[in-house]
Amino acid sequence: RRVHGIMESSIASKFKAAQALLLSKYKLDFSVISNLRKDLHKHPEIGYQEVKTKEKLISFLASFGVKVEEIKHFAITGFTYDIVGTAAAKGDKMTIGFRADMDALPMKELNTFAHASIFPNAAHMCGHDGHMATLIGTADILMRLKSKLPSNKTVRLIFQPAEEGGRGGEKMVLEGALEGIDEVYALHSWSIPYGKFGIRKEGAMTTRIVHFNIDIQGKGSHGAYPEVGHDPITALCQTYSSIHTILSRGISRKEFAVCTVGTINAGTADNIIPDSASMSGTIRTHKPEIEEEIKKQLENIVQFVPKGLRCEGKITYPGWSPAIMNAKKQAEELRSAVGELFGEDALSEDGMNASEDFSYMTDKVPGAFMLIGHVLPDRDVMNHNPYFDYNEDLIPPSILAWLRLLERRFGMSFDQLLH
């Protein structure tokens, strides 16, 4: 049977049907969106440096009829644009925002295909190229329907920089990018089964995250005379090992918690005991009280373990992000939109045990976050892996999900507008 124009069969067939529907019904040339996605992938830019990325996106929007002077700029390289209907008003006034993140990761890509990153230390290994392409495709369709949309209905395109640790979402909110918005939505390609849409009915979609830096101060000396110095590397190693007892011995297995050390820095030569050493990491939890308990135990370790090795430890917390919280009503609407398009079996309660600074936006206004799965039997490459590449089959169903959501929230039908 057909569900909103898509014949139900295998997931792969549904997604191919979604692409065909975008062309036949909405006249969207997907090859243009695909070429944009590949160009963005090939020319990645890290947080707050997305200058060329922004130029390309604005150029595409301008080709759809967007008035560049009406674009609002936020967070150094971020921007928004309101697509406002021009037809007679209908029902209550409403503004819905869709966010796409823009930044790449500071890492080297190991893929060798034609659209692999040309830069040695920047790569779209988290799918933000696909997220941007999805929102551009959605904008193309909405701009062509603008003259038929009610004048009291607005869709805000939100292009956000620096999601990868730069807290671009927070900066966008603080600078007013969400002012006037009633609801906000975002999506993320993630390592759940291909064809599944992870949308929790309510509550946390991601983890809270706290970043920590640990500095160990010792006393440098010649490598041949370690007894003269106070070795900070030994103290750092002991501290590192002790940190990994927090979760196994100090936190209940019933609670979700992850504590990861991601960087260690010490020394400049193999015959020098350095003066200091450092490491940094993250704490991820669902509950503030568990986060606080981990921090308490971490601080005790950093205070006392180095002391036993004649060193001093210090811990600081340079940043944190809340969890993305799906609001009940908005999550229900999004789940219904996806279910109507692709069937109830496409829905899952999957979240992700990572953080995402869309959380600052759902802290500001009600909204929902959706994961779309990319894991296939012959290709299971997780985000942040140097061989990651966005599966473009996910773009058409994502665009349709946004359009169907708008139909539900605006109380209208694009079928009627297309006549």
Side-chain angles (χ1 to χ4, degrees):
R1 69 187 167 90
R2 291 184 180 274
V3 181
H4 288 271
I6 298 176
M7 181 69 75
E8 288 197 73
S9 56
S10 69
I11 285 295
S13 297
K14 288 180 184 179
F15 282 8
K16 288 189 180 300
Q19 182 173 327
L21 185 63
L22 289 177
L23 177 61
S24 63
K25 183 175 179 180
Y26 298 108
K27 312 305 178 189
L28 180 71
D29 184 352
F30 185 69
S31 66
V32 174
I33 303 302
S34 173
N35 289 337
L36 170 64
R37 203 285 302 181
K38 290 181 173 67
D39 184 46
L40 292 169
H41 189 97
K42 190 172 185 175
H43 303 93
E45 295 173 304
I46 61 174
Y48 298 123
Q49 298 179 27
E50 307 96 330
V51 177
K52 295 294 185 183
T53 299
K54 180 176 180 177
E55 289 176 0
K56 289 173 186 175
L57 295 174
I58 291 177
S59 176
F60 261 82
L61 291 173
S63 73
F64 304 154
V66 164
K67 294 180 180 179
V68 175
E69 63 273 17
E70 294 180 359
I71 290 173
K72 295 182 179 180
H73 304 273
F74 300 93
I76 304 174
T77 45
F79 66 99
T80 67
Y81 180 75
D82 284 0
I83 300 176
V84 184
T86 57
K90 177 184 177 182
D92 295 331
K93 182 179 179 181
M94 179 176 282
T95 298
I96 288 178
F98 292 117
R99 186 221 67 170
D101 34 16
M102 303 163 64
D103 57 323
L105 285 159
M107 64 183 288
K108 181 178 177 61
E109 179 170 2
L110 298 182
N111 290 311
T112 56
F113 42 57
H115 63 275
S117 173
I118 63 172
F119 303 122
N121 296 308
H124 272 299
M125 300 290 97
C126 200
H128 298 185
D129 50 339
H131 304 163
M132 288 184 282
T134 297
L135 193 52
I136 287 291
T138 305
D140 184 358
I141 293 169
L142 291 173
M143 284 300 295
R144 282 185 276 111
L145 295 174
K146 180 180 178 180
S147 64
K148 299 180 180 180
L149 285 169
S151 60
N152 60 343
K153 308 298 183 188
T154 301
V155 177
R156 183 168 301 172
L157 311 175
I158 304 168
F159 289 95
Q160 179 214 306
E163 185 278 324
E164 297 290 355
R167 298 171 75 172
E170 180 185 34
K171 194 169 181 64
M172 293 284 283
V173 170
L174 290 175
E175 293 184 11
L178 266 65
E179 292 304 316
I181 282 184
D182 297 296
E183 302 176 1
V184 66
Y185 299 87
L187 60 79
H188 207 301
S189 169
W190 199 246
S191 290
I192 60 176
Y194 177 78
K196 290 291 185 182
F197 294 80
I199 311 167
R200 286 182 177 162
K201 296 174 183 176
E202 187 178 14
M205 276 293 295
T206 60
T207 63
R208 299 169 56 87
I209 184 172
V210 174
H211 300 268
F212 63 81
N213 294 332
I214 295 172
D215 295 294
I216 308 293
Q217 184 63 48
K219 179 182 176 184
S221 68
H222 195 291
Y225 297 89
E227 72 280 4
V228 176
H230 301 168
D231 189 350
I233 295 179
T234 300
L236 182 137
C237 290
Q238 293 286 349
T239 301
Y240 174 86
S241 296
S242 297
I243 287 171
H244 289 280
T245 67
I246 294 175
L247 301 187
S248 64
R249 293 295 178 268
I251 301 297
S252 170
R253 296 181 189 179
K254 297 176 182 178
E255 302 294 345
F256 171 80
V258 178
C259 186
T260 297
V261 173
T263 71
I264 289 180
N265 295 285
T268 57
D270 61 5
N271 63 347
I272 300 171
I273 290 177
D275 216 37
S276 63
S278 65
M279 57 184 160
S280 65
T282 56
I283 302 166
R284 300 176 193 270
T285 61
H286 286 156
K287 299 177 181 178
E289 59 268 27
I290 301 302
E291 174 188 298
E292 288 303 313
E293 178 59 30
I294 292 172
K295 287 170 67 176
K296 178 183 174 182
Q297 294 186 40
L298 186 59
E299 289 160 11
N300 285 337
I301 288 169
V302 173
Q303 180 181 357
F304 294 112
V305 171
K307 276 188 182 295
L309 296 163
R310 301 183 298 165
C311 294
E312 294 293 327
K314 179 183 178 182
I315 184 167
T316 56
Y317 303 101
W320 74 284
S321 294
I324 294 174
M325 302 299 289
N326 274 3
K328 184 177 181 180
K329 182 175 181 58
Q330 284 68 34
E332 286 176 352
E333 290 289 341
L334 184 52
R335 285 177 65 88
S336 294
V338 170
E340 289 166 358
L341 285 166
F342 303 107
E344 293 296 317
D345 59 343
L347 295 168
S348 82
E349 286 277 332
D350 287 302
M352 62 182 187
N353 291 335
S355 63
E356 225 276 12
D357 71 359
F358 180 61
S359 57
Y360 290 103
M361 298 189 184
T362 58
D363 261 12
K364 177 74 173 178
V365 296
F369 189 65
M370 171 173 76
L371 302 180
I372 181 166
H374 60 239
V375 174
L376 290 161
D378 60 343
R379 184 160 180 80
D380 181 8
V381 180
M382 191 172 188
N383 307 61
H384 292 214
N385 183 287
Y387 290 99
F388 184 85
D389 187 35
Y390 199 86
N391 186 337
E392 292 182 359
D393 289 349
L394 306 182
I395 296 176
S398 299
I399 294 173
L400 287 179
W402 288 158
L403 294 175
R404 181 62 189 128
L405 177 66
L406 289 175
E407 288 182 318
R408 293 183 59 87
R409 300 307 292 136
F410 286 170
M412 47 158 285
S413 169
F414 287 116
D415 287 335
Q416 296 169 353
L417 298 183
L418 291 163
H419 290 328

